Amino acid sequence: MTASQSQTNGAYRTAMVSSHVRLCREHYRLTLQLRDMDHSKPGQFVHISPALLEKEQIGDCRLTTMDYRQPFLRRAFSIADHRQVSDGWECDVLYRVVGTGTRWMEKLGKGDAVSVLGPLGNHFPIDTKKKNAWMVAGGVGLPPMMYLAKSLAKADRDVIGFFGAQSADLLALALDGDDKPDTLAQHAVLADKNFAQSNVAIVVSTDDGSCGFPGHIGSALQAYHQNNPVANDELVVYTCGPEVMMRFVAGFCRERGIDCYVCMERSMACGIGTCQSCVVPIHDQDDEQGWRYQLCCTEGPVFSEKDISWDFPS
Amino acid sequence: MAKPSTENTQVDLSVDLAGLKLANPVMTASGTSGYGPEFAEHADISELGAFVTKAVSPEPRKGNPPERTVETKGGMLNAIGLANVGLERFVSEKVSFWKNRSTPVIVNVVGHSVEDFQTVCSRLDDVECIAGLELNVSCPNVADGLEFGTDPNRLKGLVESVRPLVKRAKLIVKLSPNVTDIAETARGAVDGGADVLSIINTVQGMAINVDTWKPMLANRTGGLSGPAIKPIAVCMVQRVYRAVARDANVPIIGMGGICDWRDAVEFFLAGATAIAVGTALFVDPKIPMKICDDLKTYVANRGLTSIREVIGQLK
Ligand SMILES: Cc1cc2nc3c(=O)[nH]c(=O)nc-3n(C[C@H](O)[C@H](O)[C@H](O)COP(=O)(O)OP(=O)(O)OC[C@H]3O[C@@H](n4cnc5c(N)ncnc54)[C@H](O)[C@@H]3O)c2cc1C
Ligand SMILES: Cc1cc2nc3c(=O)[nH]c(=O)nc-3n(C[C@H](O)[C@H](O)[C@H](O)COP(=O)(O)O)c2cc1C
Ligand code: FES
């Protein structure tokens, strides 16, 4: 099975902020009211911007003007949840403040309008033949896993979540129960309130050891795997986060013949396949050099680990 | 603005680009709307005055490694590296989309030698549904590393060498802003036989990451586009219009940072016969349609009946 084809062409909409919550240092959850965005799948993303084309009253006429606002280009965020509510649909995005765009988002309040393009991109495939699904995320790779966990739970998979961050205060998890993440990463526990609702046990790692396993999440994955062997052909791994981490997880899976899907991140200008910004190198036997570029926005962001040309100097 | 004295519906937005009739003067800019099908998923191509494709070179090109784009204050830098499917795949896979469409399609042509431009132009001039060929001369010549578009004589030579091969389609030359006086390169293009001039391509720029001390783009430098370059573009359009194009009767397609009707009107006043929207399409691909609607209102409100009455009227 290869990563799925793009299923849908996102539409441009104006959404309203219905809630905005700080989750931990630099991380927020923004909930957007999107009356008519009635479908999406885990792995897909929304492209958001402050650019609302406003009608300006000029004499008796109304013309569309575009005030210059920063950020100018849209910013991509994985859909962290998408659900039907009484008067339409709601979508969550989880973000970390890193620059101009996310600093603008940080200032948004309830009732503010945001321009949303989406849902965009393909999605994580759910392999019905594999009983075990492990999700491995680092940093802001976590959001798509929140949405994926729900789909996997519905599909009755046995799901484990591996989540890493630099330190405990950068973990966007809800770890307020009695269960604490295992410091040896030998056991997964129902330590996060939200994941526990989907019956997803988790392994946590922090670089500084302030929560869970001390070290990076790849090492935690290795430790857990050693202690909890699962037949490789009954396991599928989904990963999202910094590229070095995904590269490690992909290598881990490749060595063992485990299917692995990675959710890639690239700078995106358009999000719809017109600008060619967001290229990912993919193996291609028909190509002279053995690889070609695919677009992260329309042919991704989810790729099968096997397809990515990891050695390419990207 | 005064009360409308003309109904919007009576306003004539049609323009004539050296014999190529456009139902309205709003086009897409090369490299910002793909080859057509990608854009068509998000906006109605039949409402555009014309569509300009991504550059096509004789051979396929992978383009530059990422990062290829970065937002800067007021715009963005890009160094896509002219990634494209190449001439053969363009003809076999991309052209069919354009058959039997009312919207004219213009193909942006790029090469690293005079022969490259000749190869692409002569092949595409045979393709009936292609209305125009736009030469992108903002790239270095492999022979000596100098851009075709920065030297008037070299540009004239290039245009002269493809002119006889382009018998049916309109020959458009897209000028680079990275020159001391754009009127000189415009003169070179017109003397070489250009039917139409596109003004401007991106402005050379660079952004540096202050944490890593490395350039933000893998290619180190890139082309600046978006609202930041609009005053440069407007200035260059009026300069070329007054110094060369008006007297030579060569129409100008104006572009650079256009986001709404007001931006567009500035270009018409400066001397553009048509305008193209580029970077702003990344925010919303329907911006050209909104500009068309609003241009009608603008023209009506001025008590005029045609957008052509606005062209070059800068006082
Ligand atoms: C498909 C896709 C899904 C994404 N999902 C999410 C998500 O769910 N949550 C989320 O927070 N982000 C996500 N991102 C990343 C998000 O798009 C960027 O964080 C955002 O564009 C940064 O915009 P900015 O204007 O704030 O930063 P910029 O001003 O564009 O960048 C500021 C600096 O931060 C660096 N930077 C950019 N992104 C990150 C990052 N993610 N982490 C650390 N440093 C970064 C840049 O290299 C730059 O140096 C996703 C990206 C893609 C392509
Ligand atoms: C991502 C991107 C790709 C571009 N690719 C091309 C190209 O292939 N050929 C070309 O002649 N111009 C290309 N351009 C330049 C635009 O067509 C246009 O001249 C320029 O961006 C100014 O207009 P804008 O500010 O509205 O974008 C590109 C611009 C961008 C932003
Ligand atoms: S972001 Fe423009 S092609 Fe992917």
Side-chain angles (χ1 to χ4, degrees), chain A residues 75-78 94-96 98-102 140 143 265-266:
Chain A
R75 295 293 190 269
F77 296 91
S78 301
L94 243 83
Y95 67 94
R96 180 176 183 183
V98 294
T100 316
T102 44
V140 285
E265 200 179 287
R266 283 288 182 274

Side-chain angles (χ1 to χ4, degrees), chain A residues 140-156:
Chain A
V140 285
L142 178 68
M145 300 307 177
M146 295 179 159
Y147 195 19
L148 178 63
K150 291 197 171 175
S151 288
L152 291 170
K154 259 190 224 142
D156 200 25

Side-chain angles (χ1 to χ4, degrees), chain A:
Chain A
M1 192 161 59
T2 56
S4 56
Q5 289 297 301
S6 191
Q7 299 252 315
T8 170
N9 313 314
Y12 294 76
R13 304 178 168 87
T14 300
M16 213 170 32
V17 174
S18 53
S19 93
H20 197 186
V21 185
R22 189 176 153 163
L23 298 173
C24 64
R25 178 157 73 91
E26 296 168 16
H27 288 66
Y28 294 83
R29 182 177 57 230
L30 184 69
T31 304
L32 298 166
Q33 221 175 63
L34 283 152
R35 287 228 158 68
D36 58 344
M37 190 173 106
D38 59 2
H39 63 278
S40 76
K41 287 190 170 168
Q44 288 194 295
F45 64 96
V46 285
H47 218 195
I48 78 176
S49 107
L52 301 165
L53 302 175
E54 276 169 8
K55 289 283 182 190
E56 183 188 9
Q57 192 77 28
I58 295 176
D60 288 344
C61 306
R62 282 166 70 75
L63 285 84
T64 309
T65 43
M66 185 158 153
D67 279 345
Y68 180 75
R69 300 204 188 141
Q70 267 206 299
F72 182 66
L73 299 173
R74 293 174 178 276
R75 295 293 190 269
F77 296 91
S78 301
I79 298 172
D81 193 26
H82 187 203
R83 56 193 171 265
Q84 197 158 17
V85 290
S86 58
D87 56 348
W89 292 76
E90 249 179 22
C91 168
D92 287 344
V93 300
L94 243 83
Y95 67 94
R96 180 176 183 183
V97 180
V98 294
T100 316
T102 44
R103 272 199 297 274
W104 157 68
M105 287 167 72
E106 196 180 12
K107 293 192 200 92
L108 288 170
K110 194 173 170 179
D112 285 346
V114 172
S115 168
V116 177
L117 161 61
L120 296 175
N122 66 357
H123 56 86
F124 289 114
I126 293 184
D127 189 332
T128 48
K129 290 191 278 301
K130 303 219 159 95
K131 184 70 184 148
N132 297 284
W134 292 2
M135 309 184 299
V136 188
V140 285
L142 178 68
M145 300 307 177
M146 295 179 159
Y147 195 19
L148 178 63
K150 291 197 171 175
S151 288
L152 291 170
K154 259 190 224 142
D156 200 25
R157 308 290 95 183
D158 289 337
V159 191
I160 309 284
F162 298 81
F163 305 130
Q166 288 161 303
S167 55
D169 60 346
L170 288 171
L171 268 171
L173 293 170
L175 301 172
D176 44 11
D178 295 334
D179 275 340
K180 294 284 172 242
D182 181 16
T183 53
L184 296 175
Q186 290 181 343
H187 307 286
V189 287
L190 293 170
D192 174 271
K193 201 170 60 190
N194 300 318
F195 282 104
Q197 281 172 7
S198 307
N199 204 27
V200 174
I202 63 169
V203 172
V204 173
S205 80
T206 48
D207 297 348
D208 66 357
S210 50
C211 180
F213 178 88
H216 69 83
I217 197 64
S219 310
L221 171 70
Q222 274 176 325
Y224 182 84
H225 184 259
Q226 233 162 31
N227 205 46
N228 304 272
V230 172
N232 290 339
D233 58 355
E234 287 189 9
L235 174 63
V236 53
V237 170
Y238 303 98
T239 184
C240 184
E243 203 150 319
V244 281
M245 180 215 91
M246 295 198 287
R247 202 179 268 259
F248 181 92
V249 174
F252 172 89
C253 293
R254 200 174 326 125
E255 281 165 21
R256 293 166 178 79
I258 299 167
D259 277 354
C260 175
Y261 296 98
V262 296
C263 187
M264 299 293 280
E265 200 179 287
R266 283 288 182 274
S267 289
M268 292 183 176
C270 71
I272 58 171
T274 56
C275 77
Q276 307 272 319
S277 293
C278 59
V279 288
V280 175
I282 297 289
H283 295 302
D284 181 0
Q285 284 170 347
D286 296 336
D287 182 85
E288 273 176 19
Q289 295 157 303
W291 66 274
R292 73 191 153 96
Y293 280 130
Q294 281 195 344
L295 299 178
C296 188
C297 65
T298 51
E299 296 169 288
V302 180
F303 295 89
S304 166
E305 175 282 311
K306 292 187 191 82
D307 293 339
I308 296 182
S309 177
W310 292 102
D311 298 331
F312 176 78
S314 71

